[in-house]
Amino acid sequence: MDQVNADLPQTDVALIIGANDVTNPAARTDPSSPIYGMPILDVDKARTVMVIKRSMAAGFAGIDNPLYYLDRSLMLFGDAKNFVSSIVRELTGGHGG
């Protein structure tokens, strides 16, 4: 996790699939949060964050994730397999992968 986190400030896009608590910056920034101090992936430091989720439902900890409200976060709601397949098609010029 430390190795990946060190690279995230220089990362163009972080693609998050269904993760809630392990990407929640409140664990780092909000002392009143029940997950404060928990190790997380610092995806909020990437230039763009794409999150694929079925809904805005809270994760295991039952709390909201401020990551989802950042200006540089894009929320994609639906089936992750379909979204990832579409992204791969776009990136490969429609050739799938």
Side-chain angles (χ1 to χ4, degrees), residues 8-79:
L8 286 168
Q10 294 83 37
T11 302
D12 288 327
V13 177
L15 176 62
I16 311 306
I17 300 175
N20 269 323
D21 300 333
V22 297
T23 62
N24 192 330
R28 218 181 38 249
T29 62
D30 182 1
S32 68
S33 173
I35 63 169
Y36 183 71
M38 180 181 96
I40 63 163
L41 294 166
D42 294 336
V43 297
D44 59 311
K45 295 181 179 181
R47 288 182 190 97
T48 301
V49 180
M50 295 176 66
V51 180
I52 302 173
K53 287 183 52 87
R54 289 183 299 249
S55 72
M56 286 294 284
F60 184 78
I63 59 174
D64 204 16
N65 189 335
L67 172 72
Y68 304 155
Y69 305 101
L70 297 177
D71 289 341
R72 65 185 174 282
S73 291
L74 306 170
M75 299 296 295
L76 305 171
F77 295 101
D79 180 75

